Amino acid sequence: GPAPPPSPAPAADLLFYGCGNARRAALRDACAALLAPRGFRVDFRLGFDLFGAARDDAARRATIVLNAHFYEGAALETHRLNYLLQRGACVLSEPSADRDLDALYARGVSFAAYGDLPRAALALLEDAGARRDASAAAAALAAELPRVAAAWADVALKDLG
């Protein structure tokens, strides 16, 4: 008979996807060094190879999705975060250069400094209650994103004035 469909890759405990560079590769290595010996699956997709339905499936099945900047001190990747929040993902991110925007997103995103991301991921992976709370907060923030974006724009415009 026909071959069975290929089985999907095992779900990641910690998933990152995005363009690769030395900064993200170093973070992958630090996360793997801390998490893999404890039996957690770290999946950093540093090529341009996770899009569409495959990305949707990987993000849905991941325990935590990580947001790490390509450059230090970067802008907050709101397009990436909004996509994940709308799916109720447990999201861990490093802070951006915009403290006001980070503060708005902190209602649905867990933040930790770049060097603390592996330990923050471990803490979340070891606390199912915290992950459930984070996912609920993500979904709640997603529902408020239009209002949150308008509030942030008001702050930004006042700063310009």
Side-chain angles (χ1 to χ4, degrees), residues 105-142:
Y105 273 82
R107 294 162 46 199
V109 174
S110 299
F111 281 96
Y114 174 85
D116 295 332
L117 287 169
R119 284 189 301 277
L122 179 61
L124 279 169
L125 287 169
E126 290 181 336
D127 188 341
R131 289 195 314 274
R132 276 192 303 274
D133 291 349
S135 293
L141 178 58

mmCIF file of all heavy atoms in Angstrom, residues 105-142:
data_model
loop_
_atom_site.group_PDB
_atom_site.id
_atom_site.type_symbol
_atom_site.label_atom_id
_atom_site.label_comp_id
_atom_site.label_asym_id
_atom_site.label_seq_id
_atom_site.Cartn_x
_atom_site.Cartn_y
_atom_site.Cartn_z
ATOM 1 N N TYR A 105 3.832 44.801 26.232
ATOM 2 C CA TYR A 105 3.833 43.382 25.854
ATOM 3 C C TYR A 105 4.087 42.465 27.042
ATOM 4 O O TYR A 105 3.750 41.275 26.989
ATOM 5 C CB TYR A 105 4.829 43.131 24.714
ATOM 6 C CG TYR A 105 4.206 43.360 23.368
ATOM 7 C CD1 TYR A 105 4.089 44.633 22.846
ATOM 8 C CD2 TYR A 105 3.686 42.298 22.630
ATOM 9 C CE1 TYR A 105 3.487 44.865 21.617
ATOM 10 C CE2 TYR A 105 3.080 42.510 21.399
ATOM 11 C CZ TYR A 105 2.981 43.791 20.900
ATOM 12 O OH TYR A 105 2.379 44.008 19.688
ATOM 13 N N ALA A 106 4.668 42.986 28.118
ATOM 14 C CA ALA A 106 4.967 42.152 29.289
ATOM 15 C C ALA A 106 3.694 41.586 29.918
ATOM 16 O O ALA A 106 3.771 40.651 30.721
ATOM 17 C CB ALA A 106 5.753 42.956 30.317
ATOM 18 N N ARG A 107 2.534 42.116 29.559
ATOM 19 C CA ARG A 107 1.268 41.564 30.053
ATOM 20 C C ARG A 107 0.980 40.198 29.441
ATOM 21 O O ARG A 107 0.150 39.455 29.972
ATOM 22 C CB ARG A 107 0.137 42.541 29.762
ATOM 23 C CG ARG A 107 0.321 43.827 30.579
ATOM 24 C CD ARG A 107 -0.474 44.991 30.046
ATOM 25 N NE ARG A 107 -1.841 44.616 29.725
ATOM 26 C CZ ARG A 107 -2.616 45.332 28.922
ATOM 27 N NH1 ARG A 107 -2.174 46.439 28.372
ATOM 28 N NH2 ARG A 107 -3.840 44.943 28.678
ATOM 29 N N GLY A 108 1.643 39.851 28.339
ATOM 30 C CA GLY A 108 1.407 38.548 27.713
ATOM 31 C C GLY A 108 2.660 37.823 27.270
ATOM 32 O O GLY A 108 2.577 36.734 26.715
ATOM 33 N N VAL A 109 3.820 38.420 27.517
ATOM 34 C CA VAL A 109 5.105 37.849 27.113
ATOM 35 C C VAL A 109 6.007 37.824 28.342
ATOM 36 O O VAL A 109 6.055 38.800 29.089
ATOM 37 C CB VAL A 109 5.761 38.704 25.998
ATOM 38 C CG1 VAL A 109 7.169 38.210 25.672
ATOM 39 C CG2 VAL A 109 4.895 38.713 24.742
ATOM 40 N N SER A 110 6.715 36.728 28.541
ATOM 41 C CA SER A 110 7.722 36.669 29.599
ATOM 42 C C SER A 110 9.017 37.249 29.054
ATOM 43 O O SER A 110 9.452 36.872 27.962
ATOM 44 C CB SER A 110 7.958 35.217 30.030
ATOM 45 O OG SER A 110 6.779 34.652 30.541
ATOM 46 N N PHE A 111 9.627 38.180 29.771
ATOM 47 C CA PHE A 111 10.870 38.799 29.326
ATOM 48 C C PHE A 111 12.027 38.392 30.229
ATOM 49 O O PHE A 111 11.853 38.276 31.446
ATOM 50 C CB PHE A 111 10.751 40.331 29.340
ATOM 51 C CG PHE A 111 10.010 40.899 28.170
ATOM 52 C CD1 PHE A 111 8.659 41.194 28.272
ATOM 53 C CD2 PHE A 111 10.656 41.149 26.970
ATOM 54 C CE1 PHE A 111 7.959 41.731 27.194
ATOM 55 C CE2 PHE A 111 9.969 41.681 25.891
ATOM 56 C CZ PHE A 111 8.622 41.974 26.007
ATOM 57 N N ALA A 112 13.191 38.205 29.632
ATOM 58 C CA ALA A 112 14.434 37.974 30.375
ATOM 59 C C ALA A 112 15.577 38.506 29.527
ATOM 60 O O ALA A 112 15.533 38.442 28.288
ATOM 61 C CB ALA A 112 14.634 36.485 30.656
ATOM 62 N N ALA A 113 16.602 39.024 30.197
ATOM 63 C CA ALA A 113 17.789 39.511 29.484
ATOM 64 C C ALA A 113 18.403 38.363 28.681
ATOM 65 O O ALA A 113 18.280 37.188 29.043
ATOM 66 C CB ALA A 113 18.797 40.059 30.487
ATOM 67 N N TYR A 114 19.074 38.717 27.596
ATOM 68 C CA TYR A 114 19.678 37.728 26.689
ATOM 69 C C TYR A 114 20.421 36.635 27.456
ATOM 70 O O TYR A 114 20.196 35.443 27.243
ATOM 71 C CB TYR A 114 20.606 38.460 25.715
ATOM 72 C CG TYR A 114 21.416 37.566 24.812
ATOM 73 C CD1 TYR A 114 20.890 37.083 23.615
ATOM 74 C CD2 TYR A 114 22.717 37.209 25.145
ATOM 75 C CE1 TYR A 114 21.637 36.270 22.779
ATOM 76 C CE2 TYR A 114 23.468 36.400 24.316
ATOM 77 C CZ TYR A 114 22.930 35.922 23.142
ATOM 78 O OH TYR A 114 23.671 35.113 22.311
ATOM 79 N N GLY A 115 21.300 37.029 28.373
ATOM 80 C CA GLY A 115 22.100 36.057 29.099
ATOM 81 C C GLY A 115 21.305 35.196 30.065
ATOM 82 O O GLY A 115 21.776 34.135 30.488
ATOM 83 N N ASP A 116 20.100 35.630 30.413
ATOM 84 C CA ASP A 116 19.243 34.900 31.347
ATOM 85 C C ASP A 116 18.197 34.044 30.646
ATOM 86 O O ASP A 116 17.437 33.338 31.317
ATOM 87 C CB ASP A 116 18.525 35.881 32.282
ATOM 88 C CG ASP A 116 19.488 36.627 33.190
ATOM 89 O OD1 ASP A 116 20.560 36.080 33.512
ATOM 90 O OD2 ASP A 116 19.171 37.774 33.566
ATOM 91 N N LEU A 117 18.130 34.099 29.307
ATOM 92 C CA LEU A 117 17.082 33.364 28.592
ATOM 93 C C LEU A 117 17.134 31.859 28.841
ATOM 94 O O LEU A 117 16.084 31.242 29.049
ATOM 95 C CB LEU A 117 17.121 33.687 27.091
ATOM 96 C CG LEU A 117 16.622 35.084 26.724
ATOM 97 C CD1 LEU A 117 16.959 35.409 25.273
ATOM 98 C CD2 LEU A 117 15.125 35.230 26.968
ATOM 99 N N PRO A 118 18.315 31.215 28.833
ATOM 100 C CA PRO A 118 18.297 29.763 29.090
ATOM 101 C C PRO A 118 17.706 29.422 30.454
ATOM 102 O O PRO A 118 16.859 28.523 30.563
ATOM 103 C CB PRO A 118 19.778 29.365 28.994
ATOM 104 C CG PRO A 118 20.374 30.392 28.065
ATOM 105 C CD PRO A 118 19.654 31.674 28.419
ATOM 106 N N ARG A 119 18.103 30.166 31.505
ATOM 107 C CA ARG A 119 17.568 29.886 32.847
ATOM 108 C C ARG A 119 16.081 30.212 32.926
ATOM 109 O O ARG A 119 15.321 29.513 33.596
ATOM 110 C CB ARG A 119 18.346 30.673 33.907
ATOM 111 C CG ARG A 119 19.715 30.077 34.201
ATOM 112 C CD ARG A 119 20.391 30.724 35.398
ATOM 113 N NE ARG A 119 20.591 32.160 35.233
ATOM 114 C CZ ARG A 119 21.619 32.707 34.579
ATOM 115 N NH1 ARG A 119 22.524 31.937 34.008
ATOM 116 N NH2 ARG A 119 21.720 34.018 34.483
ATOM 117 N N ALA A 120 15.650 31.273 32.257
ATOM 118 C CA ALA A 120 14.225 31.614 32.252
ATOM 119 C C ALA A 120 13.418 30.537 31.539
ATOM 120 O O ALA A 120 12.309 30.188 31.970
ATOM 121 C CB ALA A 120 14.019 32.976 31.589
ATOM 122 N N ALA A 121 13.962 29.990 30.454
ATOM 123 C CA ALA A 121 13.286 28.901 29.741
ATOM 124 C C ALA A 121 13.170 27.677 30.641
ATOM 125 O O ALA A 121 12.108 27.043 30.711
ATOM 126 C CB ALA A 121 14.038 28.558 28.458
ATOM 127 N N LEU A 122 14.246 27.348 31.345
ATOM 128 C CA LEU A 122 14.211 26.203 32.251
ATOM 129 C C LEU A 122 13.150 26.401 33.333
ATOM 130 O O LEU A 122 12.383 25.481 33.634
ATOM 131 C CB LEU A 122 15.588 25.983 32.887
ATOM 132 C CG LEU A 122 15.677 24.825 33.885
ATOM 133 C CD1 LEU A 122 15.340 23.494 33.220
ATOM 134 C CD2 LEU A 122 17.056 24.783 34.529
ATOM 135 N N ALA A 123 13.102 27.593 33.910
ATOM 136 C CA ALA A 123 12.113 27.860 34.958
ATOM 137 C C ALA A 123 10.696 27.653 34.436
ATOM 138 O O ALA A 123 9.854 27.050 35.117
ATOM 139 C CB ALA A 123 12.288 29.277 35.503
ATOM 140 N N LEU A 124 10.424 28.130 33.226
ATOM 141 C CA LEU A 124 9.090 27.934 32.633
ATOM 142 C C LEU A 124 8.832 26.460 32.326
ATOM 143 O O LEU A 124 7.739 25.952 32.553
ATOM 144 C CB LEU A 124 8.941 28.769 31.360
ATOM 145 C CG LEU A 124 8.597 30.235 31.557
ATOM 146 C CD1 LEU A 124 8.756 30.999 30.244
ATOM 147 C CD2 LEU A 124 7.178 30.403 32.097
ATOM 148 N N LEU A 125 9.843 25.775 31.793
ATOM 149 C CA LEU A 125 9.663 24.369 31.441
ATOM 150 C C LEU A 125 9.390 23.515 32.677
ATOM 151 O O LEU A 125 8.692 22.508 32.595
ATOM 152 C CB LEU A 125 10.884 23.835 30.686
ATOM 153 C CG LEU A 125 11.014 24.345 29.256
ATOM 154 C CD1 LEU A 125 12.378 24.001 28.678
ATOM 155 C CD2 LEU A 125 9.894 23.787 28.375
ATOM 156 N N GLU A 126 9.906 23.933 33.819
ATOM 157 C CA GLU A 126 9.727 23.160 35.049
ATOM 158 C C GLU A 126 8.476 23.572 35.821
ATOM 159 O O GLU A 126 8.217 23.021 36.884
ATOM 160 C CB GLU A 126 10.976 23.292 35.930
ATOM 161 C CG GLU A 126 12.170 22.572 35.331
ATOM 162 C CD GLU A 126 13.432 22.664 36.181
ATOM 163 O OE1 GLU A 126 13.552 23.615 36.984
ATOM 164 O OE2 GLU A 126 14.292 21.771 36.032
ATOM 165 N N ASP A 127 7.690 24.526 35.298
ATOM 166 C CA ASP A 127 6.522 25.035 36.021
ATOM 167 C C ASP A 127 5.311 25.095 35.089
ATOM 168 O O ASP A 127 5.077 26.104 34.426
ATOM 169 C CB ASP A 127 6.847 26.422 36.590
ATOM 170 C CG ASP A 127 5.766 26.944 37.528
ATOM 171 O OD1 ASP A 127 4.616 26.446 37.478
ATOM 172 O OD2 ASP A 127 6.072 27.872 38.297
ATOM 173 N N ALA A 128 4.561 23.999 35.055
ATOM 174 C CA ALA A 128 3.407 23.919 34.150
ATOM 175 C C ALA A 128 2.370 24.997 34.472
ATOM 176 O O ALA A 128 1.728 25.531 33.565
ATOM 177 C CB ALA A 128 2.769 22.532 34.222
ATOM 178 N N GLY A 129 2.205 25.333 35.731
ATOM 179 C CA GLY A 129 1.251 26.372 36.106
ATOM 180 C C GLY A 129 1.648 27.717 35.540
ATOM 181 O O GLY A 129 0.801 28.468 35.031
ATOM 182 N N ALA A 130 2.936 28.038 35.606
ATOM 183 C CA ALA A 130 3.413 29.305 35.048
ATOM 184 C C ALA A 130 3.206 29.342 33.544
ATOM 185 O O ALA A 130 2.843 30.376 32.986
ATOM 186 C CB ALA A 130 4.893 29.506 35.394
ATOM 187 N N ARG A 131 3.407 28.207 32.878
ATOM 188 C CA ARG A 131 3.178 28.156 31.428
ATOM 189 C C ARG A 131 1.707 28.346 31.095
ATOM 190 O O ARG A 131 1.371 29.059 30.147
ATOM 191 C CB ARG A 131 3.695 26.844 30.839
ATOM 192 C CG ARG A 131 5.194 26.742 30.813
ATOM 193 C CD ARG A 131 5.656 25.612 29.901
ATOM 194 N NE ARG A 131 4.934 24.365 30.094
ATOM 195 C CZ ARG A 131 5.255 23.451 31.009
ATOM 196 N NH1 ARG A 131 6.254 23.648 31.837
ATOM 197 N NH2 ARG A 131 4.551 22.323 31.098
ATOM 198 N N ARG A 132 0.831 27.712 31.857
ATOM 199 C CA ARG A 132 -0.615 27.893 31.620
ATOM 200 C C ARG A 132 -0.997 29.353 31.817
ATOM 201 O O ARG A 132 -1.740 29.919 31.023
ATOM 202 C CB ARG A 132 -1.431 26.997 32.564
ATOM 203 C CG ARG A 132 -1.610 25.574 32.074
ATOM 204 C CD ARG A 132 -2.659 24.818 32.879
ATOM 205 N NE ARG A 132 -2.356 24.791 34.297
ATOM 206 C CZ ARG A 132 -1.555 23.881 34.887
ATOM 207 N NH1 ARG A 132 -1.001 22.929 34.162
ATOM 208 N NH2 ARG A 132 -1.326 23.937 36.189
ATOM 209 N N ASP A 133 -0.485 29.961 32.882
ATOM 210 C CA ASP A 133 -0.767 31.376 33.127
ATOM 211 C C ASP A 133 -0.231 32.238 31.988
ATOM 212 O O ASP A 133 -0.888 33.202 31.563
ATOM 213 C CB ASP A 133 -0.129 31.828 34.447
ATOM 214 C CG ASP A 133 -0.803 31.208 35.673
ATOM 215 O OD1 ASP A 133 -1.890 30.597 35.516
ATOM 216 O OD2 ASP A 133 -0.225 31.332 36.772
ATOM 217 N N ALA A 134 0.966 31.924 31.502
ATOM 218 C CA ALA A 134 1.566 32.705 30.416
ATOM 219 C C ALA A 134 0.750 32.581 29.136
ATOM 220 O O ALA A 134 0.537 33.563 28.423
ATOM 221 C CB ALA A 134 3.013 32.253 30.177
ATOM 222 N N SER A 135 0.271 31.372 28.844
ATOM 223 C CA SER A 135 -0.550 31.175 27.647
ATOM 224 C C SER A 135 -1.874 31.924 27.751
ATOM 225 O O SER A 135 -2.329 32.539 26.778
ATOM 226 C CB SER A 135 -0.799 29.686 27.407
ATOM 227 O OG SER A 135 0.405 29.037 27.069
ATOM 228 N N ALA A 136 -2.479 31.899 28.929
ATOM 229 C CA ALA A 136 -3.728 32.632 29.129
ATOM 230 C C ALA A 136 -3.490 34.136 28.998
ATOM 231 O O ALA A 136 -4.290 34.858 28.389
ATOM 232 C CB ALA A 136 -4.327 32.299 30.500
ATOM 233 N N ALA A 137 -2.375 34.613 29.564
ATOM 234 C CA ALA A 137 -2.054 36.038 29.454
ATOM 235 C C ALA A 137 -1.778 36.422 28.005
ATOM 236 O O ALA A 137 -2.157 37.513 27.563
ATOM 237 C CB ALA A 137 -0.842 36.369 30.332
ATOM 238 N N ALA A 138 -1.138 35.529 27.249
ATOM 239 C CA ALA A 138 -0.869 35.795 25.837
ATOM 240 C C ALA A 138 -2.173 35.962 25.068
ATOM 241 O O ALA A 138 -2.339 36.914 24.291
ATOM 242 C CB ALA A 138 -0.033 34.660 25.231
ATOM 243 N N ALA A 139 -3.108 35.041 25.276
ATOM 244 C CA ALA A 139 -4.396 35.118 24.569
ATOM 245 C C ALA A 139 -5.161 36.377 24.969
ATOM 246 O O ALA A 139 -5.787 37.030 24.126
ATOM 247 C CB ALA A 139 -5.224 33.868 24.860
ATOM 248 N N ALA A 140 -5.101 36.746 26.256
ATOM 249 C CA ALA A 140 -5.794 37.946 26.713
ATOM 250 C C ALA A 140 -5.176 39.197 26.088
ATOM 251 O O ALA A 140 -5.899 40.108 25.657
ATOM 252 C CB ALA A 140 -5.741 38.036 28.242
ATOM 253 N N LEU A 141 -3.852 39.246 26.020
ATOM 254 C CA LEU A 141 -3.205 40.398 25.397
ATOM 255 C C LEU A 141 -3.545 40.466 23.912
ATOM 256 O O LEU A 141 -3.805 41.544 23.379
ATOM 257 C CB LEU A 141 -1.690 40.334 25.599
ATOM 258 C CG LEU A 141 -0.898 41.467 24.935
ATOM 259 C CD1 LEU A 141 -1.349 42.838 25.419
ATOM 260 C CD2 LEU A 141 0.600 41.264 25.179
ATOM 261 N N ALA A 142 -3.569 39.310 23.248
ATOM 262 C CA ALA A 142 -3.902 39.295 21.819
ATOM 263 C C ALA A 142 -5.263 39.927 21.577
ATOM 264 O O ALA A 142 -5.441 40.682 20.609
ATOM 265 C CB ALA A 142 -3.875 37.869 21.282
#
